[in-house]
Structures are given as structure tokens and as C-alpha cells.
Amino acid sequence: MRRLTPYLLALPAWMWLAIFLVVPMAAMASVSLQTGNAIDGFAMTFSVSNYTDTLSRYSTQLVRSLVYGGAATVAMLLIGYPVAYWIAFKGGHRKSMYLFLLLLPFFVSFVLRTISWGFLLADDGILFGTLKGWGVLPADFHVLATAFAVIAGLTYNWLPFMILPIYVALERVDPRVVEAAQDLYASRTAAFRRVVLPLSLPGVFAGVLMTFVPATADPVNAQVLGGTSNTMIGNIIQTTYLTNLQYPTASALSFTLMAMLLVGIFAYARALGTENVLEAAAR
Amino acid sequence: MNHQHDPALLRGMTQPRTRREAFRIAGFSAAGLALAACGVEGQKAAPPKTDAVQDFWAKQTKHGKVVFANWPEYMPEDQAPLKQFQKETGIAYEYKEVIQENAEFFGKADPVLRAGQSLGYDIVVMTNGIQLQHMIELGYCVPLDHSKLPNFAANAGAAYKKRAYDPNNTYTIPYTSGVTGIAYNTKYVKDDLKSINALFDPKYKGRVGMMADAQEIANFGMIALGVAPEDSTEADWQKAGEKLKAQRDAGIVRKYYDQSYIDAVSKGDIWISMAWSGDVFQRQLAGEPVEFYVPEEGGTIWTDNMLIPKGAANPVDALMLMDFLYKPAIAAELDEFIQFITPVPAVQDILREKAAKATGEDKKALEEMVSSPLMFPTEADYAKLHSYTKLTTAQEQVFNPIFQSITQA
């Protein structure tokens, strides 16, 4: 019995993975190789053309998604790291309040928050309308319907998922380690670069993992804040599933996106020199 | 933390597999193959036989409850018509604003109905587009028992009893109709616009809104070329596609919108946009600087329809409510709030009488409604209005990519 206990404890997790990951993925893989239409039904034809057609037709949007997702991730890193650092080392006894404030906007729905940005950034809205009135901005200046608006929206929406893991990693850094570095004549920058930064890298890794994937696949920001040439792959997948009912094409697209993300993440893991991807993410 | 790998794990990976494991792997593969073999069944339904419809309705009874799924802002806030229904019939109602877009709603409903389960709604409202056609083709709608729809028979306008997308109202009866035309913001556009060409005018570069819906945008592309959408061919779609693509590539279009176009045009993000009549009319009453017109080259008319989805728990109660909404007094109350085109012509006289008795602001608002061509189009207005193209499944797979490649570049 004792020998079995660890396996029994792991059982719920395995069941979860089997039911909610393996079965849907297998079903999706199966659908991605079928042909047909929603009215007459789909049949398995092992048609690889779903993948090749999709790739040639939507390569622009696929590449654009990776670029937008990547840009947003970099922006989140640049904004999120200092914030996490400040909360971890300067937050004092208010740390948990700062973290709560960080999460507060998440009590409002994702879509609603994005639409609110639409209102804030409107051409003649509260912000730009006023600035235009003062003559600071030219009359036809606009941010909505540009790539910048989409990337900014992605950055805003996923930022806490970057800050929290970095915060957790930094929180664990013993301040005495930094003191020791300074005792050994390291300057403040050197102490940060050679001690604190390496110790926080697993957090950075987890943060990038948790933000790059959803930002790249997100359909909402592009739809609400984007213009005529900011369509992301998430929008295409949504349309193929819900409007065109082209389940095979949509499945093939989803799989392609997933494969690209996995390749990207493993490349990143190697570059960062992290021995074990899962371990770093779990830490 | 121990970074060493568990030696037992490594051994398992390097040692030859036992026979039992081989069986297990074979089992997984078989399960995988079984999954791979099952397709998604199509369910194209044959038209209902009259006997079967009668049998179905003969077996149904009133349950004293009905669940109505509708679009936002499509019912007075106090739900007075529904309360009146409850009072007169004793049937309790649940009213849910859960439908935002036909495609999205159908995308969610399809797997449920395909699996033979109930949506949990007794009445749903859908526009006469591709998705409603799918609902009918797939047998997702309960054929209506017209012997239980006396108010519809007595009060619906003749045009609303002859719908090309559902002949003889076999599955649906109209809830309300609307016109797709053009809206513009009078703060920025000083011209008196009349033509559809305003949407293609380089003068408004970056200030034009078009709709993201493939059928809506296709219609306007075709009307701009002088083609009637309902008679269009594949060659016309290609030409319309090229016209719309040129419009996008010239930077004239700011964005392809869903219902959010109305906020964009009243805020001034865009100056001119394709628009739905009732939306604009409601904004005008709210004092926003928007004007609406049906292009002289033509616009389109669409109808939102009530239907009973397959597997609905209370079909008899649903039918009673659908019929109740065709009482002229109730239809008038409804239309006074939603301000689209009612399928009950008597409403215009009721509102006119009400306007005669009313005073002040109310009187003005009611008089505007009665004379509005957006709520009560004249024969001449109707003559300018086109319908959607009816597409077969095969045509859809040509049609959709042409126009989606424009809106989702």
C-alpha cells in the first residue's frame, strides 16, 4: 500500500491531464486531418493539406502574432521587473497590499477592461481630445487602430502574470546575500547584475512563459484596439471555428500555433541555460 | 534542491520494454486510432412532414414557464410586454440577453444541438443570415404550429409572411426588421450625403468604418458596383472583393467593426460608417450628432426572427409568447422602445394616436417615430432595399474567404 500512495496522490492530477488535455488534444488532432463541412459532416481523410493550405494562407497573421506577442512580452519585462523588484525589496509591510492593488483590475472582465482602453484612447476621448484641444497633438493624431494600441493592450492585460513570478523569485533572495556581495567590494550595479539577476532568472522564465503564450494567442485586443491590418491568429481561429464552422482548418491552425510556441519556448529555455524547463516554471 | 535525476527513471528509459508495457503502448495507440477514426457527423435534415409536425404538437402541453433568449436592448427595460404576458396567461417567463452576434451564438449552440441536448432556451432570436439557414438545414428548429398563432395570422404585414429564407414561416416568425445603411457624424461631415460612394471617398481617408460581417460588407461592395446582392454570382463577389480591397489598401477604412461601430461614429473615431437603422435612431434621441441615410443606390433589409430550438422544454408556452407579441398594442409598446421596423403595420396608427394625446417631449419623440422612414419605411423606401444572398454550403466556402481575406488581413 505504501508503495502505491504517491501514485494515488498523483492520480487526480493525471486524471485532470488525461481528461482535459490528452483527450481534447487527440480529438483536435483527429479533426485537423478531416475534410468536409458542417452541414454534410466531416470525414477522416488524413488530409495534410489542411496544414499546408492554412500555413500559406495565414502566414502573415501567424508571424504578426508572434511579433506582437514577443513585443508585448519584452515590454512587460521592462515594466514588470522594476515593479517586482521594488515591491520585493522596498515594499516593507505593505507588500501584500501592493500585490492586491496589482490584481485589483482583474476583478473586472478581460473584455470589459480592453473596451475601456478603447474609450480612453478614443481619437477625441478624455485623453487625446484634451491634448488636441490644447494644441499639443495634431488633429489627426490617433493611437487606436494601430499596432502600438494592440501591443499596449496586450502588455496591460497580462502584466501581472509577469510581475508575480518575478516577485516570488526576488522575494526569496536573502538580502544578506546582497550585503555579502557588497562586503566583497561589489558595487550596487555589480551586486544586482551578478547576484540578484541570476537568482531571479527562474522567475523571469516563468513570467515569460505565462505571458508570451496567452498574449500571442489572444484575439480580444486585436479586435477591440486594432485596425485593418492588425488581425492576429486568435481572430482567425475564432472566425474559422465560430463563423465558418471549418473545424479542420481551425484545428490545424491551433496546432500550428501551439507547435510554434513550443519551439519558441524551448529555444528560449536553451538560450537562458535553464536545465529543466518544467522545474524552473514550477519553482 | 536535488537536481539529480531519479536513477529508476533513467533505467526505465534505457532498458528494453517489457511485454506488459508493449501491450499498454499498443492500447494507447488503439485508443488514438479509434479517436482518429471518428468524424464529426453531419445532420442535414429533411423538411418536416405535416403529420409529424401535428403529432409533435399534439403531444405537447403547457408548462407555465418560458425562457426567452434575445439580443441586448431589444426589450423595454421594465419588461412590460413580458409582464403583461405573465399576467394574462399565468405563464412565468425568464428573459435572457445572451445573443450578441449570430455567428458566435450559432458557434456555441451548434455542438449542443448536434449532441441532441437542449440549449435551455424556448425562444431564440436570429437574423436571416447564413447561421439561421444552418439552423434550418440542420433541423435545429421546431416547425411551428400555425393553428396556435392567430395573432400572427391576423396582424403581421403581408411582406412578413412571405420570407424567402423561410417560406410559409415554417420555422420562424419575425421579431423585428432593420435597414443597413450609412451613418455619419454631423460634427465632422458637413456635406449632405446621399450616395454609397461616400464610403469609398479618399476625402474621408482613415475615417470610414465598415462592418466585419462577410455578408454585410459583401452587400455594400456589390451595391456600389450596381449589382443586386440577391441575384449575385461568383464573378460579382470577386469584383466586389476587389473593390473593397482597393478601398482598404487606399487606407480609407479605419477598421472593420461589429456592433461597436456606433460608439466609434458617435465619438468621432470614424466619421462615416455602415450602420443599422435602429442603433442610429436611438442615438439621435439621446442627442448625439449622428445622421442615417439609405444610399440612393440601395441598402439592405434584414429581419430578426423568433424560433423554437430543438429540444426546448416548453414549446407550447413559447408559441403562446411568440403569438402574444403580435397583439398590436404589445407590438407598439415594444417598438416604441426598440425603434426598429415592426412586422405589425397597425403599430404606426397606435403610435400616431398616442402622439396626438401626448404632450411636450413625449409628443415630439412619438411624432418623430411615426414619421421616421427608419421605423416605418414607405413603399419607395422598401423598393431600394435588397436582401442577403442565399448561399449553399459549397458557395459559402467560396464567398467567406473572398470577404474575410479583406476584413482579416
Side-chain angles (χ1 to χ4, degrees):
Chain A
M1 190 61 206
R2 180 170 295 168
R3 240 163 24 111
L4 279 177
T5 312
Y7 294 99
L8 285 175
L9 284 172
L11 196 63
W14 284 115
M15 297 261 291
W16 170 273
L17 282 178
I19 295 169
F20 294 109
L21 188 77
V22 179
V23 171
M25 291 277 278
M28 199 163 87
S30 144
V31 171
S32 76
L33 294 169
Q34 298 178 6
T35 40
N37 63 61
I39 305 296
D40 303 320
F42 297 94
M44 174 52 81
T45 50
F46 294 99
S47 143
V48 190
S49 65
N50 284 336
Y51 284 89
T52 50
D53 289 355
T54 307
L55 264 180
S56 62
R57 192 185 294 172
Y58 297 118
S59 55
T60 326
Q61 289 91 338
L62 263 172
V63 173
R64 186 184 292 142
S65 296
L66 292 171
V67 171
Y68 284 11
T73 308
V74 171
M76 281 183 262
L77 200 53
L78 293 177
I79 301 169
Y81 198 97
V83 174
Y85 187 92
W86 186 82
I87 298 179
F89 291 114
K90 313 279 177 194
H93 64 282
R94 292 226 179 85
K95 270 181 196 170
S96 47
M97 194 189 76
Y98 295 136
L99 290 175
F100 174 74
L101 286 178
L102 207 63
L103 288 172
L104 195 62
F106 279 68
F107 288 93
V108 178
S109 118
F110 184 90
V111 178
L112 223 58
R113 274 183 286 131
T114 313
I115 291 173
S116 311
W117 271 105
F119 275 92
L120 275 176
L121 298 178
D123 289 15
D124 287 301
I126 313 167
L127 187 60
F128 297 135
T130 321
L131 289 176
K132 282 175 190 176
W134 292 345
V136 181
L137 292 173
D140 57 352
F141 176 86
H142 68 91
V143 168
L144 276 189
T146 62
F148 177 80
V150 179
I151 295 170
L154 289 170
T155 308
Y156 161 74
N157 273 314
W158 298 104
L159 186 61
F161 294 99
M162 179 65 89
I163 296 180
L164 290 175
I166 298 179
Y167 166 79
V168 171
L170 286 171
E171 167 82 316
R172 285 182 175 189
V173 175
D174 192 333
R176 284 173 301 183
V177 182
V178 185
E179 277 169 36
Q182 284 169 349
D183 286 346
L184 295 168
Y185 299 102
S187 66
R188 285 173 70 96
T189 18
F192 172 76
R193 197 165 48 80
R194 302 192 51 180
V195 179
V196 179
L197 188 63
L199 285 173
S200 68
L201 274 188
V204 172
F205 182 81
V208 169
L209 201 69
M210 284 173 75
T211 52
F212 178 60
V213 176
T216 305
D218 172 67
V220 176
N221 282 280
Q223 195 181 335
V224 177
L225 304 173
T228 53
S229 55
N230 306 119
T231 311
M232 289 174 72
I233 201 65
N235 306 93
I236 305 277
I237 294 176
Q238 191 176 354
T239 313
T240 12
Y241 262 118
L242 294 182
T243 309
N244 299 356
L245 306 179
Q246 275 299 324
Y247 302 141
T249 316
S251 305
L253 260 179
S254 307
F255 253 93
T256 311
L257 176 66
M258 212 146 43
M260 292 174 96
L261 287 175
L262 280 178
V263 169
I265 288 160
F266 278 108
Y268 174 71
R270 285 208 73 144
L272 207 68
T274 309
E275 301 270 333
N276 186 327
V277 177
L278 297 172
E279 189 185 314
R283 220 162 30 183
Chain B
M1 199 180 286
N2 181 11
H3 286 258
Q4 293 255 293
H5 289 292
D6 180 358
L9 185 71
L10 275 176
R11 205 163 47 239
M13 291 172 107
T14 47
Q15 278 183 347
R17 306 204 180 281
T18 62
R19 201 153 48 137
R20 188 183 294 177
E21 272 176 314
F23 275 125
R24 203 167 61 207
I25 290 164
F28 275 130
S29 317
L33 275 178
L35 265 174
C38 66
V40 179
E41 297 249 333
Q43 308 207 331
K44 194 164 175 120
K49 295 198 179 72
T50 325
D51 298 352
V53 178
Q54 276 167 1
D55 281 355
F56 171 83
W57 284 104
K59 281 185 216 136
Q60 306 299 324
T61 52
K62 188 176 138 181
H63 294 148
K65 191 182 167 226
V66 59
V67 187
F68 190 176
N70 206 343
W71 297 59
E73 294 181 53
Y74 233 15
M75 179 64 66
E77 267 157 53
D78 59 3
Q79 304 187 343
L82 297 174
K83 281 187 184 139
Q84 183 69 21
F85 173 71
Q86 183 163 3
K87 210 171 116 194
E88 283 184 26
T89 60
I91 295 172
Y93 70 87
E94 250 182 83
Y95 183 72
K96 300 186 172 179
E97 295 184 343
V98 287
I99 308 172
Q100 313 273 354
E101 205 192 2
N102 287 292
E104 187 203 352
F105 179 74
F106 181 79
K108 286 180 190 161
D110 176 53
V112 180
L113 293 170
R114 197 177 285 268
Q117 289 162 351
S118 171
L119 278 182
Y121 310 128
D122 300 313
I123 304 178
V124 300
V125 174
M126 291 182 75
T127 316
N128 62 306
I130 290 175
Q131 285 80 28
L132 179 65
Q133 204 179 310
H134 284 163
M135 290 287 286
I136 294 173
E137 281 173 347
L138 290 166
Y140 292 168
C141 308
V142 173
L144 304 177
D145 180 355
H146 278 270
S147 69
K148 292 195 172 78
L149 292 168
N151 284 318
F152 171 74
N155 301 325
Y160 293 91
K161 291 182 182 168
K162 289 184 297 194
R163 315 305 290 168
Y165 54 84
D166 182 21
N168 305 321
N169 299 91
T170 311
Y171 304 97
T172 67
I173 58 175
Y175 183 72
T176 189
S177 274
V179 172
T180 308
I182 297 173
Y184 61 96
N185 188 314
T186 49
K187 202 171 126 195
Y188 299 101
V189 179
K190 299 296 175 195
D191 308 335
D192 182 22
L193 299 179
K194 287 200 163 57
S195 165
I196 199 166
N197 290 327
L199 291 173
F200 298 87
D201 192 339
K203 196 167 125 188
Y204 303 117
K205 192 176 170 188
R207 294 296 182 179
V208 170
M210 297 291 282
M211 284 181 181
D213 182 274
Q215 276 192 309
E216 290 279 18
I217 193 173
N219 287 338
F220 270 52
M222 285 188 270
I223 292 171
L225 289 170
V227 176
E230 57 269 49
D231 310 322
S232 61
T233 60
E234 203 179 311
D236 295 326
W237 307 340
Q238 298 287 4
K239 269 185 260 164
E242 279 158 30
K243 177 147 182 98
L244 294 163
K245 188 169 179 294
Q247 177 202 27
R248 184 197 69 199
D249 292 346
I252 295 170
V253 181
R254 154 95 168 221
K255 184 178 165 173
Y256 296 96
Y257 288 90
D258 53 15
Q259 183 115 32
S260 60
Y261 79 87
I262 188 69
D263 280 327
V265 80
S266 69
K267 277 186 297 188
D269 286 354
I270 45 175
W271 296 349
I272 305 180
S273 178
M274 288 176 68
W276 291 311
S277 55
D279 289 344
V280 182
F281 202 58
Q282 288 176 26
R283 298 289 171 135
Q284 281 175 351
L285 281 187
E288 289 175 19
V290 274
E291 197 61 61
F292 180 90
Y293 69 100
V294 178
E296 55 195 4
E297 295 88 348
T300 50
I301 183 164
W302 42 263
T303 304
D304 280 347
N305 302 277
M306 294 184 276
L307 62 93
I308 304 178
K310 197 178 78 176
N314 316 299
V316 174
D317 312 72
L319 211 53
M320 286 174 76
L321 177 52
M322 283 158 77
D323 193 49
F324 182 80
L325 294 174
Y326 271 87
K327 285 189 172 183
I330 301 296
E333 200 174 347
L334 195 64
D335 203 38
E336 197 185 327
F337 177 79
I338 61 178
Q339 297 168 6
F340 275 100
I341 304 169
T342 172
V344 181
V347 165
Q348 193 172 16
D349 289 332
I350 296 177
L351 292 183
R352 193 175 285 133
E353 277 168 37
K354 198 173 168 189
K357 282 181 211 149
T359 51
E361 284 287 307
D362 284 350
K363 187 184 181 75
K364 204 175 138 243
L366 281 163
E367 275 171 354
E368 264 178 39
M369 283 183 208
V370 171
S371 60
S372 165
L374 306 188
M375 282 176 69
F376 301 100
T378 60
E379 285 303 314
D381 292 326
Y382 273 124
K384 281 203 299 184
L385 299 174
H386 299 282
S387 314
Y388 290 140
T389 331
K390 199 172 177 192
L391 300 168
T392 65
T393 313
Q395 282 175 325
E396 230 178 83
Q397 284 169 22
V398 180
F399 185 92
N400 280 337
I402 294 177
F403 297 102
Q404 281 165 358
S405 70
I406 294 163
T407 57
Q408 299 205 310

